[in-house]
Amino acid sequence: MAFKLPPEICEFRFILGSGPGGQHVNKTASTVELRVAVGKLQLPPAPLSRLKEQQAKRINKLGELVIQSGNHRSQLMNRQEAVSRVEKFIDEALIRPKSRVATRPTLASKKRRLEGKKVRGGVKSQRKKPSW
């Protein structure tokens, strides 16, 4: 299920790109900064909270998801890439995570754990000063 980002909640800003590119990069604002108001997305509460949790570093204090794209020389291609990245983030948030079924540790894993503790204890006891 592919989510389509409504254009009315998208705010595009075009900025000068950084990095190599010579004269072209200094005179064209081809890097795109896309801001999407997360609160205006028509998402159910659970996927919305997952999106906020997964993309917490990209969401500012105003509740906007901020994405920059400057991989291409073309403003249009950068714009399309930014939109597709946001749609991908939303698609990932729409996927409900599998709930974990609690299981008991196996007898073999318990034995391995205790054996490892004994080995570690033996190593530490060897470090002690000998008692004469």
Side-chain angles (χ1 to χ4, degrees), residues 13-131:
R13 293 182 186 170
F14 301 100
I15 52 180
L16 287 176
S18 61
Q23 191 176 21
H24 176 77
V25 79
N26 296 329
K27 65 183 185 176
T28 56
S30 59
T31 298
V32 174
E33 184 180 83
L34 171 60
R35 293 172 176 266
V36 177
V38 176
K40 292 182 181 178
L41 287 170
Q42 301 295 320
L43 292 176
L48 188 62
S49 65
R50 276 197 296 273
L51 178 67
K52 288 179 180 178
E53 183 182 318
Q54 291 169 354
Q55 303 303 325
K57 291 183 179 181
R58 290 187 171 101
I59 296 176
N60 63 13
K61 291 179 182 176
L62 300 173
E64 297 173 329
L65 178 64
V66 181
I67 300 293
Q68 277 193 359
S69 175
N71 294 336
H72 307 284
R73 286 173 61 113
S74 164
Q75 208 178 68
L76 178 66
M77 290 180 73
N78 284 330
R79 189 175 176 153
Q80 290 170 344
E81 182 183 334
V83 169
S84 67
R85 282 174 56 195
V86 171
E87 288 173 348
K88 188 181 103 192
F89 293 151
I90 294 170
D91 284 341
E92 288 172 1
L94 286 170
I95 297 170
R96 181 181 299 166
K98 290 182 182 177
S99 57
R100 185 187 182 281
V101 178
T103 57
R104 289 176 51 193
T106 62
L107 185 62
S109 68
K110 286 181 183 177
K111 285 182 179 177
R112 279 193 304 268
R113 180 178 146 270
L114 292 175
E115 193 60 40
K117 287 169 75 81
K118 282 182 186 172
V119 168
R120 191 76 189 135
V123 168
K124 289 187 173 197
S125 67
Q126 291 293 322
R127 293 181 188 154
K128 289 182 186 176
K129 286 185 179 179
S131 59

